[in-house]
Amino acid sequence: MTQAKTTGGNQGQVIWVTGASSGLGRSLALALADQGHSVIASARNEESLSSLEEANPSIIALPCDITDESSLRAAQEKISTNFPGLDEVILNAGNCEYLDFPEPDWSAIRRVMEVNYFGTLNCLQIALPLLRKSAAARPHIVVVASQVTNAPFARAEAYGASKAALQYFFDSLRIDLAPENIDVSVVNPGFVDTPLTRKNDFDMPFLMDVEDAAQRIIGQIASRPRSYSFPRRLRALLFISKLLPAAWQKMVSRDIGESVPASQPSQDSKL
Ligand SMILES: NC(=O)c1ccc[n+]([C@@H]2O[C@H](COP(=O)([O-])OP(=O)(O)OC[C@H]3O[C@@H](n4cnc5c(N)ncnc54)[C@H](OP(=O)(O)O)[C@@H]3O)[C@@H](O)[C@H]2O)c1
């Protein structure tokens, strides 16, 4: 990061996207930069961040491990040295590990919470003072949670709990930041084709293209919704399945989250 830029006005916004080295974050960073915003793109994979900078000069790479205190301190210093404030932060970085019963790796729960919940809040802690310095009338916090919280998925105890924790935290935060005119939006994607879901060995209903998902998010968050869940078809399916008796619920969502036995490969394109 070498250039100081101003916030607000007609020059585009200053937007920090976490988890920008791949998947949704990468597509969001590129699409927002194409719209003329200055995008601070953070993640651990420096090579991938450099390629983003090469793709669009409005993107500034910020290598950072959101679970590491010294890395976060360095990131905070870099942002505040180079920008007077932030207009928007998209807290997108996340990870998914499943629990395989009957003998799950219990330490996975802590690892997932460390990135998805505590890591996201570490970034919020850095972003909030910078959002308060924004020249924009209403700075914006966007957090990427998940539709996984709409119904129980097999093996997703750790991941789902981390996203439910985020939803509650940011729904409460919205109330506390309202007097400061800082908006808070919770984005709940369904299944999107990214490196995170390519590890899944089960059928993913309504799997979406990553660029399409990023465009939908950008289009919707502009109006500052409290939450945005997409695609609606998945939300409806999960909502209905949650109201059904347990046996029927299992029928509706029978394949979601459950490993497909090697002898019965999924119909989904295994990516
Ligand atoms: N794909 C889906 O179907 C789906 C559905 C609902 C919600 N989501 C959520 O969407 C978000 C983006 O996921 P994705 O699907 O795009 O997966 P992805 O391609 O794996 O992206 C995850 C991003 O998080 C970053 N990250 C992970 N651990 C980090 C750490 N310790 N410090 C800094 N950055 C870290 C990764 O970068 P580095 O490895 O380079 O650090 C990467 O850029 C996640 O929060 C995920 O839970 C995804």
Side-chain angles (χ1 to χ4, degrees):
M1 302 211 313
T2 52
Q3 246 182 314
K5 293 172 188 171
T6 55
T7 59
N10 298 323
Q11 297 166 321
Q13 296 196 312
V14 177
I15 303 173
W16 178 19
V17 181
T18 73
S21 62
S22 63
L24 268 176
R26 187 178 178 87
S27 294
L28 285 168
L30 285 167
L32 289 166
D34 281 347
Q35 289 184 351
H37 301 297
S38 297
V39 178
I40 302 164
S42 71
R44 292 166 302 179
N45 185 331
E46 297 192 27
E47 208 177 308
S48 174
L49 295 181
S50 300
S51 74
L52 273 178
E53 280 188 321
E54 281 163 24
N56 191 316
S58 299
I59 299 180
I60 300 104
L62 181 67
C64 172
D65 180 341
I66 64 170
T67 65
D68 181 273
E69 224 175 280
S70 62
S71 178
L72 284 159
R73 255 198 313 273
Q76 178 175 34
E77 213 169 293
K78 276 186 198 169
I79 299 176
S80 44
T81 304
N82 289 277
F83 296 92
L86 281 176
D87 301 316
E88 184 168 81
V89 62
I90 302 183
L91 301 167
N92 161 78
N95 196 9
C96 180
E97 288 188 61
Y98 292 114
L99 300 191
D100 289 311
F101 285 85
E103 296 296 339
D105 173 3
W106 294 100
S107 60
I109 301 168
R110 200 169 291 275
R111 282 196 299 275
V112 169
M113 287 302 271
E114 208 55 61
V115 176
N116 292 6
Y117 184 67
F118 293 111
T120 298
L121 298 189
N122 289 339
C123 297
L124 172 69
Q125 207 179 329
I126 291 178
L128 195 50
L130 291 161
L131 290 162
R132 288 183 170 130
K133 290 182 183 164
S134 169
R138 300 191 71 90
H140 193 196
I141 297 168
V142 179
V143 65
V144 180
S146 170
Q147 285 214 45
V148 71
T149 59
N150 288 341
F153 284 36
R155 300 164 65 220
E157 291 85 350
Y159 181 71
S162 73
K163 295 298 186 180
L166 283 181
Q167 287 166 345
Y168 192 93
F169 187 98
F170 283 86
D171 281 342
S172 289
L173 184 70
R174 180 180 308 110
I175 300 166
D176 285 315
L177 295 184
E180 297 186 63
N181 292 326
I182 299 176
D183 293 321
V184 178
S185 299
V186 179
V187 171
N188 300 307
F191 292 106
V192 184
D193 179 14
T194 69
L196 184 140
T197 48
R198 281 173 211 153
K199 289 183 273 183
N200 289 346
D201 56 2
F202 53 85
D203 287 330
M204 294 177 275
F206 316 124
L207 184 72
M208 285 173 290
D209 169 72
V210 68
E211 279 166 29
D212 174 35
Q215 287 298 338
R216 286 195 200 204
I217 292 171
I218 291 170
Q220 291 297 319
I221 62 175
S223 61
R224 313 294 175 99
R226 283 182 293 183
S227 72
Y228 171 51
S229 299
F230 69 103
R232 281 190 192 163
R233 289 178 297 170
L234 181 64
R235 196 177 62 158
L237 177 72
L238 297 177
F239 181 74
I240 292 164
S241 80
K242 215 175 172 182
L243 299 177
L244 295 173
W248 292 14
Q249 182 184 111
K250 178 87 177 128
M251 272 169 61
V252 171
S253 59
R254 69 176 174 250
D255 287 336
I256 302 178
E258 289 194 338
S259 303
V260 179
S263 54
Q264 291 175 24
S266 153
Q267 297 304 303
D268 207 290
S269 49
K270 285 293 174 286
L271 307 153

